[in-house]
């Protein structure tokens, strides 16, 4: 299959980005080095182009009923301007995808889904849309910039009259930004460094991107690739679909019980309710290395006797902490923070311990 290109593909190439295939798109993985870009976001401000993400509009009197049916969280709690983290549960107890639900107005929502799952999620939403909610896939029309880091408000405030500093986490406002009307400014992010996600139409993407780069120049803004995005999200213990959660991991195993609300009916609710009562056999945990080693996905997690008790799903050398950290599933008996575990790195068992994410405290 031919790789899709985001609207600013040529801009990133001109900025010297190393482009790689990711989720069916040609994406910038780095511009300088992962370490430099990671530290830029932690200490100043960086801009990610994550326009590969998918956006679905759900409208009409049946919109909320559909969202309630296909997601685990309780979207009835949302009011216009609020955002919710949620997931689509499948019929077998796993996760179709994790997503953000934006309440745009009464009877109008936007679902933001992972790039690798756009087609799968679209089919899933349509499968359960039996009552006639109005669905529109606008993924190919939209660009999305994540501007992240402690200096984000200072870097962006001159571009809009929206008071960015007063926006609460997981809220959004629609307003003029960089001279472009109806831009969605969202106080979310995937880095734990603070910041905003900015949704614009493709035809306005270059104007907005250039304005952000210019306004952020005095604050040290740099373009950031997917490499640093991964280490930043991992330091916060945020799940990555396809690594830490997938079609065979239940939200309860993945520590997403807080977005799984059993006071409403949703796909496979009964089976998940039974799993909650019975207790899960394995849990997604965070761990840090106590010896010098870098954990990687699919490495075995073993106990002191060398018996396998789980598997690493994501791992890296934390740039902020200078030690190996990771996420993985372990048998529930080994999931308590402080528990000693070992990561099998090239046939050598290296000592670590279970810790409760985030690894890097805000």
């Amino acid at each position: 299959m031919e790789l899709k290109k985001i609207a600013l593909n040529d801009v990133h190439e001109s900025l010297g980005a190393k482009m790689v295939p990711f989720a069916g798109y040609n994406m910038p993985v780095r511009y300088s080095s992962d370490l430099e870009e990671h530290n830029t976001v932690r200490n100043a401000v960086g801009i990610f182009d994550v326009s590969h993400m998918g956006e679905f509009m759900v409208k009409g009197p049946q919109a909320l009923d559909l969202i309630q049916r296909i997601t685990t969280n309780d979207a009835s709690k949302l009011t216009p301007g609020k955002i919710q983290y949620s997931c689509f549960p499948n019929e077998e107890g796993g996760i179709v995808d994790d997503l953000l639900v934006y309440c745009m107005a009464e009877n109008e929502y936007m679902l933001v889904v992972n790039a690798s799952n756009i087609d799968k999620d679209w089919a899933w939403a349509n499968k359960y849309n039996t009552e006639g909610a109005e669905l529109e896939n606008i993924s190919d029309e939209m660009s999305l910039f994540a501007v992240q880091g402690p200096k984000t408000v200072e870097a962006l405030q001159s571009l809009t009259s929206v008071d960015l500093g007063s926006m609460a986490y997981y809220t959004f406002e629609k307003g003029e930004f960089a001279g472009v009307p109806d831009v969605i400014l969202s106080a979310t992010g995937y880095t734990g460094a603070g910041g905003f996600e900015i949704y614009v139409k493709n035809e306005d993407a270059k104007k907005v991107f250039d304005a952000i780069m210019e306004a952020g120049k005095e604050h040290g803004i740099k373009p950031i690739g997917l490499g640093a995005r991964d280490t930043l999200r991992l330091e916060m213990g945020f799940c990555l679909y396809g690594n830490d959660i997938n079609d065979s991991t239940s939200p309860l195993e993945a520590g997403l019980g807080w977005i799984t609300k059993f006071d409403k009916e949703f796909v496979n609710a009964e089976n998940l309710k039974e799993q909650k009562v019975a207790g899960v056999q394995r849990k997604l945990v965070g761990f840090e290395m106590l010896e010098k080693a870098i954990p990687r996905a699919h490495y075995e997690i073993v106990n002191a006797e060398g018996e396998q008790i789980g598997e690493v799903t994501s791992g890296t050398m934390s740039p902020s902490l200078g030690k190996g950290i990771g996420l993985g599933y372990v048998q529930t008996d080994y999931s308590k923070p402080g528990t000693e575990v070992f990561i099998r790195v090239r046939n050598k068992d290296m000592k670590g311990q279970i810790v409760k994410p985030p690894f890097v405290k805000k």
Side-chain angles (χ1 to χ4, degrees), residues 202-278:
N202 285 343
E203 54 263 35
D204 298 317
K206 187 167 189 317
K207 180 180 181 181
V208 168
F209 183 85
D210 289 347
I212 291 170
M213 290 295 286
E214 185 58 36
K217 196 183 283 180
E218 64 180 294
H219 303 286
I221 198 168
K222 289 177 184 167
I224 311 294
L226 293 176
R229 188 169 167 85
D230 194 50
T231 53
L232 287 156
R233 70 94 190 168
L234 193 43
E235 287 187 345
M236 300 312 296
F238 293 150
C239 291
L240 174 64
Y241 193 89
N243 284 45
D244 314 300
I245 51 177
N246 58 41
D247 287 303
S248 66
T249 57
S250 97
L252 303 180
E253 292 173 336
L256 299 178
W258 62 281
I259 63 165
T260 308
K261 304 296 169 61
F262 291 113
D263 50 3
K264 63 162 201 163
E265 286 305 313
F266 59 83
V267 175
N268 204 39
E270 282 307 311
N271 287 335
L272 287 175
K273 206 179 288 182
E274 285 174 20
Q275 188 182 69
K276 185 178 182 183
V277 171

Side-chain angles (χ1 to χ4, degrees), residues 16-19 27-34 37 224-227:
K18 180 178 193 298
M19 307 295 284
M27 294 294 291
V29 69
R30 75 184 53 82
Y31 299 81
S32 54
S33 77
D34 293 345
E37 291 173 27
I224 311 294
L226 293 176

Side-chain angles (χ1 to χ4, degrees), residues 107-270:
N107 297 331
E108 184 180 343
Y109 300 84
M110 180 171 74
L111 310 183
V112 182
V113 302
N114 285 298
S116 57
N117 293 331
I118 291 172
D119 293 343
K120 180 174 77 162
D121 293 351
W122 181 244
W124 188 257
N126 278 281
K127 174 182 176 178
Y128 282 97
N129 185 25
T130 54
E131 302 299 320
E134 189 185 326
L135 281 171
E136 186 184 5
N137 183 352
I138 60 169
S139 305
D140 291 339
E141 301 163 28
M142 300 298 290
S143 287
L144 172 57
F145 305 123
V147 186
Q148 298 281 297
K151 295 184 179 175
T152 301
V153 172
E154 298 156 70
L156 297 183
Q157 190 59 76
S158 65
L159 299 175
T160 182
S161 59
V162 174
D163 184 358
L164 299 175
S166 68
M167 283 178 65
Y169 195 41
Y170 269 62
T171 67
F172 73 92
E173 288 195 37
K174 223 174 177 183
E176 187 173 300
F177 184 85
V180 176
D182 294 328
V183 173
I184 297 170
L185 303 169
S186 163
T188 52
Y190 195 49
T191 65
F196 299 89
E197 294 191 301
I198 299 163
Y199 298 80
V200 297
K201 291 201 165 76
N202 285 343
E203 54 263 35
D204 298 317
K206 187 167 189 317
K207 180 180 181 181
V208 168
F209 183 85
D210 289 347
I212 291 170
M213 290 295 286
E214 185 58 36
K217 196 183 283 180
E218 64 180 294
H219 303 286
I221 198 168
K222 289 177 184 167
I224 311 294
L226 293 176
R229 188 169 167 85
D230 194 50
T231 53
L232 287 156
R233 70 94 190 168
L234 193 43
E235 287 187 345
M236 300 312 296
F238 293 150
C239 291
L240 174 64
Y241 193 89
N243 284 45
D244 314 300
I245 51 177
N246 58 41
D247 287 303
S248 66
T249 57
S250 97
L252 303 180
E253 292 173 336
L256 299 178
W258 62 281
I259 63 165
T260 308
K261 304 296 169 61
F262 291 113
D263 50 3
K264 63 162 201 163
E265 286 305 313
F266 59 83
V267 175
N268 204 39
E270 282 307 311

